[in-house]
Amino acid sequence: MSSSQQPTCAVYVDGSFIDGKIGYGAAVIIDGELSHEISGAITDPALAEHRQVGGELYAVLETLAWLKSRDILSCMIYYDYAGVEMWPTGAWKANKELTKRYAREVRESGVEITWVKGKSHSGDKWNDHADLLAKKGATGGNGTVSAKTK
């Protein structure tokens, strides 16, 4: 698919930490409609030690893999924790192994990302949806759930 044929893509990501459990969530919006949902529990100890931040980073990585599998190479990612953008752009130095790995994988993903910082729990429909997906992951939901596939 050439860049002139790329769909309009927006992704809202979030992480959640509830009762010692961590979840991740992402809502993928293609051409203004919910196209895909990603939700699950974090079991990797390297991610778990970072609580909901580990969930947010994992949500981004899972989303990038999904986008690439569909040849969607340009997307806006909405997030509420600054490190989601700051580590891969180099605005913050990645000091821990997790943040170094995250920054490298985002930069090497092949997806052109426009980062959009939002405020958590602000009443934004899709931000709230990503938050619910992350909470679902932390409270027992697992795996990737497709709403529909475009």
Side-chain angles (χ1 to χ4, degrees):
M1 181 180 281
S2 75
S3 60
S4 63
Q5 298 172 322
Q6 284 284 312
T8 302
C9 174
V11 176
Y12 293 76
V13 297
D14 211 347
S16 185
F17 180 77
I18 301 171
D19 296 329
K21 296 181 180 172
I22 300 156
Y24 61 92
V28 181
I29 314 303
I30 304 290
D31 293 332
E33 294 183 29
L34 180 62
S35 178
H36 188 69
E37 296 175 329
I38 298 171
S39 177
I42 298 293
T43 57
D44 179 343
L47 289 167
E49 73 180 59
H50 297 278
R51 297 186 172 206
Q52 70 270 13
V53 171
E56 293 201 30
L57 302 184
Y58 194 76
V60 171
L61 296 176
E62 285 291 294
T63 298
L64 292 175
W66 186 86
L67 293 171
K68 282 193 66 161
S69 74
R70 281 145 183 87
D71 293 324
I72 299 171
L73 301 178
S74 177
C75 197
M76 295 181 6
I77 296 183
Y78 292 80
Y79 62 92
D80 53 33
Y81 176 69
V84 168
E85 173 184 2
M86 298 302 174
W87 287 310
T89 63
W92 286 1
K93 182 174 171 77
N95 293 316
K96 297 186 177 186
E97 187 55 39
L98 171 65
T99 57
K100 289 177 186 178
R101 186 182 80 204
Y102 168 76
R104 182 181 63 252
E105 288 182 25
V106 171
R107 285 192 302 264
E108 294 174 357
S109 71
V111 177
E112 180 183 330
I113 300 168
T114 301
W115 300 101
V116 182
K117 171 92 168 71
K119 186 176 176 186
S120 63
H121 312 289
S122 61
D124 178 284
K125 174 183 177 178
W126 297 119
N127 185 358
D128 291 348
H129 192 73
D131 181 60
L132 287 174
L133 291 169
K135 286 177 180 171
K136 173 185 169 188
T139 58
N142 57 22
T144 300
V145 180
S146 293
K148 58 183 175 174
T149 304
K150 283 192 167 194

